[in-house]
Amino acid sequence: MNSLLSRAVELQHAAHTLMYLGMDGEPLYSDDFCRQNKDVLLKSDSLFAAKSSDIEEEANLCLALLMGYNYGDKEQKKQEILVRACDVLERLPDSLLKVRLLTYCYGETYEEALLQSARKIVDGWGQASLTSEQIEAAEELRNMEENSYPWEYVD
Protein backbone atom coordinates (compact mmCIF):
# COMPACT_ATOMS: atom_id res chain seq x y z
CA MET A 1 0.00 0.00 0.00
CA ASN A 2 1.42 3.35 -1.01
CA SER A 3 -1.17 5.76 0.36
CA LEU A 4 -0.44 9.40 0.92
CA LEU A 5 -0.49 8.94 4.69
CA SER A 6 1.94 6.02 4.62
CA ARG A 7 4.30 7.99 2.36
CA ALA A 8 4.10 10.99 4.73
CA VAL A 9 4.83 8.81 7.77
CA GLU A 10 7.71 7.18 5.88
CA LEU A 11 9.17 10.63 5.16
CA GLN A 12 8.75 11.62 8.83
CA HIS A 13 10.66 8.53 9.88
CA ALA A 14 13.44 9.08 7.31
CA ALA A 15 13.82 12.75 8.30
CA HIS A 16 13.86 11.84 12.00
CA THR A 17 16.54 9.21 11.36
CA LEU A 18 18.61 11.73 9.41
CA MET A 19 18.22 14.33 12.15
CA TYR A 20 19.61 11.96 14.78
CA LEU A 21 22.21 10.26 12.58
CA GLY A 22 25.36 9.63 14.61
CA MET A 23 23.73 10.54 17.94
CA ASP A 24 23.70 6.90 19.03
CA GLY A 25 27.48 6.75 19.33
CA GLU A 26 27.94 4.97 16.01
CA PRO A 27 30.42 6.52 13.58
CA LEU A 28 28.93 8.97 11.11
CA TYR A 29 30.14 8.45 7.57
CA SER A 30 29.69 11.17 4.99
CA ASP A 31 28.45 8.75 2.33
CA ASP A 32 25.69 7.52 4.71
CA PHE A 33 24.68 11.09 5.49
CA CYS A 34 24.66 12.07 1.81
CA ARG A 35 22.65 8.99 0.83
CA GLN A 36 20.06 9.55 3.55
CA ASN A 37 19.90 13.29 2.87
CA LYS A 38 19.25 12.60 -0.82
CA ASP A 39 16.58 10.02 0.08
CA VAL A 40 14.80 12.55 2.33
CA LEU A 41 14.96 15.24 -0.35
CA LEU A 42 13.60 12.91 -3.05
CA LYS A 43 10.74 11.80 -0.79
CA SER A 44 10.01 15.43 0.11
CA ASP A 45 9.96 16.53 -3.52
CA SER A 46 7.69 13.63 -4.48
CA LEU A 47 5.14 14.68 -1.82
CA PHE A 48 5.40 18.46 -2.18
CA ALA A 49 2.50 18.87 -4.63
CA ALA A 50 0.29 16.35 -2.82
CA LYS A 51 -2.66 17.59 -0.81
CA SER A 52 -5.36 15.84 1.16
CA SER A 53 -8.92 16.75 2.07
CA ASP A 54 -8.55 14.72 5.28
CA ILE A 55 -7.36 17.08 8.03
CA GLU A 56 -5.14 14.56 9.85
CA GLU A 57 -3.60 13.28 6.64
CA GLU A 58 -2.89 16.88 5.54
CA ALA A 59 -1.37 17.63 8.97
CA ASN A 60 0.89 14.56 8.68
CA LEU A 61 1.85 15.64 5.19
CA CYS A 62 2.73 19.20 6.31
CA LEU A 63 4.73 17.83 9.24
CA ALA A 64 6.61 15.40 7.00
CA LEU A 65 7.46 18.13 4.51
CA LEU A 66 8.67 20.55 7.20
CA MET A 67 10.84 17.77 8.62
CA GLY A 68 12.06 16.76 5.16
CA TYR A 69 12.92 20.26 4.02
CA ASN A 70 14.82 20.93 7.23
CA TYR A 71 18.08 20.48 5.32
CA GLY A 72 19.38 22.95 2.78
CA ASP A 73 17.96 26.11 1.28
CA LYS A 74 14.33 25.42 0.47
CA GLU A 75 12.74 28.57 1.87
CA GLN A 76 10.09 29.03 -0.83
CA LYS A 77 8.80 25.49 -0.37
CA LYS A 78 8.84 25.84 3.43
CA GLN A 79 6.80 29.04 3.18
CA GLU A 80 4.15 27.30 1.07
CA ILE A 81 4.01 24.44 3.57
CA LEU A 82 3.70 26.88 6.49
CA VAL A 83 0.68 28.51 4.83
CA ARG A 84 -0.94 25.09 4.46
CA ALA A 85 0.00 24.16 8.03
CA CYS A 86 -1.63 27.32 9.43
CA ASP A 87 -4.90 26.36 7.77
CA VAL A 88 -4.62 22.82 9.11
CA LEU A 89 -3.75 23.92 12.65
CA GLU A 90 -6.94 25.97 12.90
CA ARG A 91 -9.05 22.86 12.27
CA LEU A 92 -6.92 20.14 13.88
CA PRO A 93 -8.06 18.98 17.33
CA ASP A 94 -5.57 19.01 20.21
CA SER A 95 -3.40 15.92 19.81
CA LEU A 96 0.14 14.62 19.60
CA LEU A 97 0.09 15.38 15.86
CA LYS A 98 -0.91 18.98 16.53
CA VAL A 99 1.91 19.41 19.08
CA ARG A 100 4.45 18.06 16.60
CA LEU A 101 3.17 20.30 13.79
CA LEU A 102 3.09 23.36 16.08
CA THR A 103 6.66 22.61 17.18
CA TYR A 104 8.00 22.38 13.64
CA CYS A 105 6.09 25.50 12.58
CA TYR A 106 7.51 27.33 15.59
CA GLY A 107 10.98 26.16 14.56
CA GLU A 108 10.51 27.92 11.23
CA THR A 109 8.74 31.10 12.34
CA TYR A 110 9.52 31.57 16.06
CA GLU A 111 5.98 32.86 16.56
CA GLU A 112 5.33 32.79 20.29
CA ALA A 113 1.63 31.92 19.81
CA LEU A 114 2.60 28.59 18.22
CA LEU A 115 4.87 27.76 21.14
CA GLN A 116 2.19 28.68 23.67
CA SER A 117 -0.44 26.56 21.88
CA ALA A 118 1.85 23.54 21.89
CA ARG A 119 2.84 24.13 25.52
CA LYS A 120 -0.84 24.31 26.55
CA ILE A 121 -1.57 20.93 24.95
CA VAL A 122 1.52 19.29 26.47
CA ASP A 123 0.74 20.72 29.91
CA GLY A 124 -2.75 19.22 29.63
CA TRP A 125 -1.31 15.74 29.20
CA GLY A 126 -0.10 15.55 32.79
CA GLN A 127 2.85 13.37 33.68
CA ALA A 128 1.32 10.12 34.94
CA SER A 129 0.83 8.10 31.78
CA LEU A 130 2.68 9.69 28.88
CA THR A 131 3.47 7.51 25.88
CA SER A 132 7.00 7.41 24.52
CA GLU A 133 5.81 9.49 21.54
CA GLN A 134 4.35 12.15 23.86
CA ILE A 135 7.58 12.24 25.86
CA GLU A 136 9.61 12.66 22.66
CA ALA A 137 7.29 15.42 21.39
CA ALA A 138 7.49 17.25 24.74
CA GLU A 139 11.30 16.99 24.65
CA GLU A 140 11.39 18.31 21.06
CA LEU A 141 9.21 21.22 22.12
CA ARG A 142 11.37 21.96 25.16
CA ASN A 143 14.52 21.73 23.04
CA MET A 144 13.08 24.11 20.46
CA GLU A 145 11.98 26.51 23.18
CA GLU A 146 15.34 26.49 24.97
CA ASN A 147 17.56 26.57 21.88
CA SER A 148 15.88 28.97 19.52
CA TYR A 149 18.18 31.62 18.12
CA PRO A 150 16.16 33.42 15.47
CA TRP A 151 18.09 36.09 13.68
CA GLU A 152 20.83 36.16 16.30
CA TYR A 153 24.54 35.85 15.79
CA VAL A 154 26.50 33.82 18.30
CA ASP A 155 30.12 34.88 18.74
Side-chain angles (χ1 to χ4, degrees), residues 87-140:
D87 180 53
V88 167
L89 285 168
E90 291 176 5
R91 300 179 293 147
L92 192 64
D94 289 355
S95 62
L96 173 62
L97 176 58
K98 187 169 186 173
V99 169
R100 294 184 71 212
L101 186 54
L102 284 164
T103 300
Y104 274 86
C105 288
Y106 173 76
E108 293 297 326
T109 64
Y110 297 102
E111 289 184 26
E112 191 68 22
L114 297 171
L115 180 65
Q116 295 308 317
S117 294
R119 175 65 49 215
K120 181 180 173 188
I121 296 168
V122 169
D123 290 346
W125 289 342
Q127 297 298 317
S129 59
L130 293 178
T131 66
S132 61
E133 290 177 322
Q134 287 174 317
I135 291 169
E136 183 178 341
E139 287 174 0
E140 269 185 342

Side-chain angles (χ1 to χ4, degrees), residues 8-47:
V9 170
E10 182 182 328
L11 174 55
Q12 289 174 25
H13 178 71
H16 185 270
T17 299
L18 180 61
M19 186 181 318
Y20 291 100
L21 194 62
M23 300 293 281
D24 59 0
E26 291 292 316
L28 177 59
Y29 299 104
S30 62
D31 57 333
D32 287 339
F33 176 79
C34 290
R35 181 182 44 77
Q36 289 188 26
N37 190 41
K38 182 178 180 181
D39 181 52
V40 166
L41 181 59
L42 289 173
K43 286 177 180 174
S44 298
D45 286 343
S46 74
L47 287 172

